[in-house]
């Protein structure tokens, strides 16, 4: 049997390469862009723009129902921004994680609308979110229990599915990924519904652009928390929520030699993800009451342009490739992706309120994972 061959697209940085796929080629294109080209892309997506949470026609919840249905018939993908309420230092807002996601997704919505395949956005279901243990006790950080986060997401997804949005993508910006993964796995085990369900940490998806490099617009440090990276993104996307006059730098305290645990976006390929343990480093209340891990004082909006362009273009590609594989109103094969039959699912997969449609809340529950 021949060995699998993987082709790579190399860069001027020895540790950064991209797989020769549509995704990798897209990233390489962004890697090679001039700053003028980056600005042109940002303009296409309307970045920066004022937040659109209260602007009519931008989210499912602020759009007349007739127009929601009209949009869904062309594109039944829904992006769901996932953030939290968390102390990000005196200089930044506690809703920073949420606004990072909403501002990025609003840009993607604006762009796809111009292309005639406008993606749907749902209001953030987690305004508070779950948190890792080392955030416990911090003023400004509101910590919801694991079960609350998971169950909230499960029933958010169920309601969206019932409304015809059967391709649900959770876009995350916060350190509670394991809860989002648990929600998707439990949703699928509990309800056995066909569709596309995934979660994506946007900064991890474009991690190569958060690693210091030789470009004049490069960041000087890699992504951690309320640091140069997050503050640079905030300055680009929602600068009025940031007050750099009070920014202060602070690093954490670790008790093992460096090299075991990776940083927030796993840029160094170390043995452990940052979330795979506790006790090897201090909690914020003990050594980082500033709410910062890193150097936000050196942040600049310019440094965030390349990673933001990368995620905008990636999410656009994702939207296009999902619709190409499964046009609006279709889902992956029922009998190959669930333990249900096509015949059983037929009425539930119809458009809501069309002839013969049944609500998913009527579907018989089955299997050992059924929640009583």
């Amino acid at each position: 049997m021949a060995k699998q061959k993987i082709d790579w697209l190399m860069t001027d940085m020895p540790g950064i390469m991209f797989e020769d796929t549509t995704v990798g080629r897209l990233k390489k294109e962004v890697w090679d862009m001039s700053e003028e080209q980056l600005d042109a892309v940002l303009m296409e997506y309307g970045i920066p723009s004022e937040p659109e949470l209260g602007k009519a026609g931008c989210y499912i919840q602020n759009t007349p129902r007739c127009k929601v249905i009209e949009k869904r018939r062309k594109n039944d993908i829904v992006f769901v921004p996932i953030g939290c309420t968390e102390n990000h230092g005196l200089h930044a807002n506690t809703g920073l994680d949420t606004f990072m996601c909403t501002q990025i997704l609003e840009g993607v919505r604006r762009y796809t609308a111009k292309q005639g395949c406008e993606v749907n956005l749902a209001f953030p279901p987690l305004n508070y979110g779950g948190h890792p243990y080392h955030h416990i006790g911090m003023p400004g950080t509101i910590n919801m229990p694991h079960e609350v986060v998971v169950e909230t997401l499960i029933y958010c997804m169920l309601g969206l599915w019932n409304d015809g949005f059967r391709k649900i993508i959770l876009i995350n910006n916060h350190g509670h990924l394991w809860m989002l993964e648990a929600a998707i796995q439990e949703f699928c085990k509990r309800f056995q519904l066909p569709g596309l369900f995934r979660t994506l940490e946007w900064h991890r998806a474009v991690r190569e652009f958060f690693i210091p490099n030789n470009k004049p617009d490069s960041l000087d440090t890699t992504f951690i928390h309320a640091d140069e990276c997050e503050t640079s993104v905030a300055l680009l996307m929602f600068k009025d929520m940031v007050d750099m006059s009070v920014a202060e730098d602070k690093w954490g305290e670790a008790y093992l030699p460096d090299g075991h645990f990776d940083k927030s976006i796993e840029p160094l390929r170390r043995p452990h993800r940052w979330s795979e343990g506790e006790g090897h480093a201090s909690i914020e209340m003990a050594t980082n009451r500033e709410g910062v891990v890193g150097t936000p004082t050196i942040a600049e909006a310019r440094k965030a342009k390349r990673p933001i362009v990368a995620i905008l273009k990636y999410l656009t590609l994702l939207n296009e490739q999902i619709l190409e594989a499964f046009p609006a109103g279709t889902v992956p094969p029922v009998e190959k992706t669930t333990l249900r039959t096509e015949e059983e699912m037929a009425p539930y997969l119809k458009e809501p309120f069309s002839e013969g449609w049944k609500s998913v809340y009527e579907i018989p529950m089955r299997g050992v994972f059924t929640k009583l």
Side-chain angles (χ1 to χ4, degrees):
M1 183 176 177
K3 292 182 179 179
Q4 182 182 9
K5 185 174 184 296
I6 301 176
D7 294 321
W8 297 98
L9 305 171
M10 309 307 292
T11 72
D12 56 341
M13 295 290 292
I16 298 178
M17 62 189 75
F18 303 106
E19 188 182 4
D20 191 6
T21 62
T22 53
V23 175
R25 289 191 290 274
L26 179 151
K27 288 185 174 184
K28 182 64 163 57
E29 178 189 351
V30 176
W31 181 269
D32 290 335
M33 282 183 180
S34 66
E35 291 189 63
E36 291 73 22
Q37 289 173 315
L38 294 175
D39 286 336
V41 174
L42 291 172
M43 187 176 297
E44 284 187 297
Y45 286 83
I47 301 292
S49 288
E50 288 296 312
E52 296 179 339
L53 288 164
K55 183 179 178 181
C58 297
Y59 287 79
I60 291 171
Q61 291 91 337
N62 63 25
T63 302
R65 178 109 185 118
C66 60
K67 294 189 183 300
V68 170
I69 294 170
E70 183 182 324
K71 290 181 184 181
R72 189 197 63 215
R73 287 173 176 168
K74 295 180 181 179
N75 184 345
D76 55 358
I77 299 170
V78 58
F79 286 145
V80 184
I82 305 291
C84 68
T85 297
E86 175 182 41
N87 191 323
H88 278 84
L90 291 176
H91 69 288
N93 53 317
T94 57
L96 180 143
D97 284 15
T98 300
F99 279 100
M100 278 196 183
C101 289
T102 56
Q103 295 293 90
I104 289 168
L105 295 181
E106 287 165 13
V108 176
R109 185 204 64 78
R110 288 189 293 267
Y111 181 85
T112 56
K114 291 188 291 186
Q115 307 305 307
C117 60
E118 182 178 354
V119 74
N120 304 280
L121 305 184
F123 274 173
L126 296 175
N127 287 318
Y128 299 100
H131 294 267
Y133 164 70
H134 55 265
H135 285 180
I136 198 163
M138 283 292 287
T141 297
I142 300 179
N143 201 333
M144 305 303 289
H146 174 99
E147 295 78 8
V148 171
V149 172
V150 171
E151 293 297 316
T152 297
L153 291 176
I154 287 172
Y155 286 98
C156 172
M157 293 171 67
L158 186 66
L160 288 168
W161 197 97
N162 190 56
D163 199 22
F165 299 100
R166 284 138 194 180
K167 294 138 191 174
I168 304 170
I169 319 295
L170 310 179
I171 306 297
N172 183 44
N173 188 87
H174 178 55
H176 53 190
L177 178 62
W178 64 91
M179 301 183 200
L180 277 59
E181 292 174 337
I184 288 176
Q185 294 297 326
E186 177 61 24
F187 172 83
C188 291
K189 292 173 184 176
R190 191 180 299 179
F191 297 110
Q192 290 278 323
L193 299 175
L196 287 173
F197 316 108
R198 61 198 293 179
T199 184
L200 176 81
E201 286 194 315
W202 77 263
H203 33 55
R204 200 160 155 260
V206 293
R207 72 190 76 181
E208 300 93 345
F209 300 93
F210 284 110
I211 298 173
N213 57 62
N214 297 325
K215 299 183 184 297
D217 60 333
S218 172
L219 292 150
D220 294 288
T221 58
T222 193
F223 205 110
I224 305 181
H225 170 66
D227 59 344
E228 177 195 14
C229 296
E230 286 202 305
T231 304
S232 293
V233 172
L235 288 171
L236 175 64
M237 306 291 277
F238 43 93
K239 62 182 177 62
D240 292 342
M241 300 185 195
V242 181
D243 181 355
M244 291 299 290
S245 71
V246 293
E248 50 190 331
D249 300 339
K250 186 65 180 291
W251 292 101
E253 188 174 301
Y255 309 122
L256 292 174
D258 208 11
H260 295 285
F261 284 86
D262 218 329
K263 308 302 181 185
S264 297
I265 56 169
E266 300 171 61
L268 304 173
R269 298 191 286 266
R270 288 175 173 175
H272 286 281
R273 293 190 74 236
W274 67 269
S275 58
E276 291 180 343
E278 294 285 358
H280 58 278
S282 60
I283 63 173
E284 283 189 303
M285 282 288 287
T287 59
N288 290 77
R289 293 193 172 197
E290 297 83 359
V292 169
V293 184
T295 54
T297 60
I298 62 173
E300 300 175 38
R302 177 193 186 197
K303 297 178 178 180
K305 290 181 179 181
R306 202 172 299 272
I308 290 298
V309 166
I311 191 58
L312 291 170
K313 291 185 75 69
Y314 172 69
L315 290 174
T316 302
L317 177 69
L318 178 62
N319 175 67
E320 292 169 352
Q321 292 191 333
I322 290 175
L323 286 179
E324 183 179 352
F326 302 104
T330 67
V331 295
V334 173
E335 295 183 12
K336 292 184 178 180
T337 58
T338 78
L339 295 179
R340 298 187 185 274
T341 66
E342 288 187 27
E343 181 181 9
E344 175 189 9
M345 287 304 304
Y348 305 100
L349 286 169
K350 291 181 180 291
E351 183 179 37
F353 285 138
S354 64
E355 185 177 355
W357 171 76
K358 282 188 176 182
S359 167
V360 75
Y361 295 92
E362 303 174 58
I363 200 167
M365 299 291 282
R366 61 170 57 179
V368 297
F369 292 100
T370 299
K371 189 174 179 65
L372 301 176

